[in-house]
Amino acid sequence: MVEALDLTDMSARTTEDIFTGKTLPMPHGRIYGGQVLAQAIVAASRTLPDTRHVHSMHGYFLRAGDATNNVTLSVDRIHDGRSFSTRRVQAFQEGVPIFSMISSFQDETRGVEHQDPMPEGIPDPEDLPNSMEELAAQLGPGWNDFFMATPLEQRYVTSPIQISVTGERTATNAVWVKTRKRLPDDPWLHRAGLAFLSDTSIQDSVLRAHGVPWITKGLKVASLDHAMWWHRDARVDEWLLYVQNSPNAINSRGLAQGRIYNREGALVASVAQEIMIRVPEDTPGITWS
C-alpha cells in the first residue's frame, strides 16, 4: 500500500500537476477503489503546504480500472483561500478518466466539538477470529495467498458475507480493520490510508439486508460514488472500528454509510457510498421494488 501511495511527480505540466502511481494486483483484474481514492488524496496533498489537511472529498467512479496498469493523476488547483483550499483530481488509464474527485483542505483551528459515541457492546478485535484466514480456508487453494497479501487485516463483528449470510437480515455491518504492518509516522500517509480502507466492506451493509452473499451467481456490484469526511487524525496501523449501515436501496442502487472510530472511541471519519447492485431475479428470498 505504501508503495502504491508513493506517487511520482511528473516534470511535464500544463495547467495541472501530474502524478503517476502503481496499482495493487487484484484477483478479478479490477482496481480496488480505495487505492484510487487514497492516491487522489496523496496527489492533491502534494500541491498543498503541510499545515493544510484534508477534511472532505466527493468522488465518482467513472469506469472500472485495470489492475495491471499504473494510474495517472492530474490535480487542478481550483482555489486557495486564507483557511481552505480546493482541489480537483482526475485519475486516468490509457488516457481515459476512471475516477473524478473534488476535495477540500483546511488549516487546523479551534472551534466547537461534539461527536456520535461509538456503539457499546462491541467485542475487541483480539476476541474475534481472523476473518480473512477463515474465508481463505473456505474458498480453497489460491485464496489464502491473496487474502494474506492484501494490505489490510479485517475482523468482522458481524459475520462475513462473502460465502453466506448468517443470522438476521439487517442493513448493518461492523468490522475492525487495520494495516497488517506498521507504517511510517507521516500523518498524510495515515489520512490517505483512511481513504484506502474506507472502501472496504462498506457495501456489505446493502447485501446483508437482503441475505445476498458475494459469491451469488450473476451478482453485479459496482461503486458509483464515494464521499468522506476526516474528523480527527488516527493511525491506520492500529485497530479501527468501521460501523456501517444502509438506509436505502431502490432502482438497483444501494446507499451505504459508515463511521470509523479508534479504540478510544473517537470518531475519526464518516463515509457515504452509493453502489449499483443487480441481483439475478431467480435469487431466492429477494424482495423486489
Side-chain angles (χ1 to χ4, degrees):
M1 185 187 77
V2 173
E3 186 177 358
L5 298 182
D6 187 17
L7 305 181
T8 301
D9 185 357
M10 305 296 288
S11 59
R13 289 183 174 82
T14 55
T15 59
E16 299 176 336
D17 299 87
I18 308 298
F19 302 88
T20 61
K22 295 183 178 180
T23 297
L24 299 175
M26 296 294 288
H28 46 60
R30 295 170 58 180
I31 289 179
Y32 166 57
Q35 172 202 307
V36 184
L37 291 171
Q39 288 175 325
I41 293 299
V42 171
S45 73
R46 295 280 183 88
T47 69
L48 291 158
D50 292 339
T51 56
R52 197 153 288 192
H53 303 162
V54 63
H55 71 86
S56 69
M57 63 78 61
H58 302 264
Y60 283 89
F61 296 100
L62 306 176
R63 294 174 177 84
D66 181 358
T68 64
N69 288 331
N70 291 342
V71 178
T72 300
L73 302 109
S74 65
V75 182
D76 186 3
R77 306 188 186 200
I78 294 178
H79 175 72
D80 287 302
R82 289 187 297 175
S83 300
F84 290 86
S85 293
T86 306
R87 296 291 186 267
R88 180 174 60 234
V89 182
Q90 291 208 96
F92 294 86
Q93 283 190 318
E94 304 294 333
V96 177
I98 62 171
F99 177 73
S100 182
M101 176 192 83
I102 288 184
S103 54
S104 183
F105 303 78
Q106 180 192 17
D107 292 335
E108 289 189 1
T109 182
R110 295 180 62 188
V112 298
E113 183 173 339
H114 72 270
Q115 68 160 73
D116 282 346
M118 186 168 76
E120 297 180 352
I122 300 292
D124 290 332
E126 293 83 3
D127 297 330
L128 295 168
N130 188 315
S131 304
M132 298 300 100
E133 286 184 355
E134 287 194 343
L135 287 171
Q138 294 179 62
L139 289 169
W143 283 96
N144 187 67
D145 291 342
F146 167 68
F147 281 127
M148 294 303 101
T150 58
L152 303 178
E153 181 177 353
Q154 300 180 70
R155 300 197 176 187
Y156 277 70
V157 178
T158 45
S159 59
I161 65 167
Q162 276 76 5
I163 298 173
S164 63
V165 181
T166 59
E168 185 181 359
R169 293 186 179 184
T170 61
T172 59
N173 202 55
V175 183
W176 287 101
V177 59
K178 70 177 182 67
T179 59
R180 293 185 179 278
K181 296 181 179 180
R182 192 74 176 174
L183 300 181
D185 294 334
D186 183 359
W188 269 112
L189 178 60
H190 290 271
R191 295 180 192 119
L194 277 174
F196 186 94
L197 65 81
S198 71
D199 190 41
T200 185
S201 73
I202 190 170
Q203 301 168 350
D204 289 9
S205 59
V206 181
L207 280 81
R208 187 183 297 277
H210 300 277
V212 179
W214 280 100
I215 65 168
T216 299
K217 186 177 181 180
L219 175 67
K220 294 183 178 179
V221 177
S223 303
L224 298 175
D225 60 10
H226 195 94
M228 184 168 178
W229 298 263
W230 287 255
H231 306 311
R232 297 167 179 86
D233 278 344
R235 296 191 66 96
V236 295
D237 53 9
E238 298 177 352
W239 286 114
L240 299 168
L241 178 64
Y242 200 175
V243 180
Q244 305 149 352
N245 74 288
S246 174
N248 187 74
I250 195 169
N251 290 333
S252 297
R253 300 190 320 275
L255 177 64
Q257 299 172 335
R259 290 170 291 158
I260 303 174
Y261 295 89
N262 65 17
R263 296 194 71 161
E264 288 69 45
L267 182 59
V268 172
S270 299
V271 183
Q273 182 180 105
E274 191 170 45
I275 66 171
M276 178 206 76
I277 173 172
R278 291 177 179 161
V279 183
E281 293 191 9
D282 59 355
T283 303
I286 301 299
T287 301
W288 298 97
S289 62

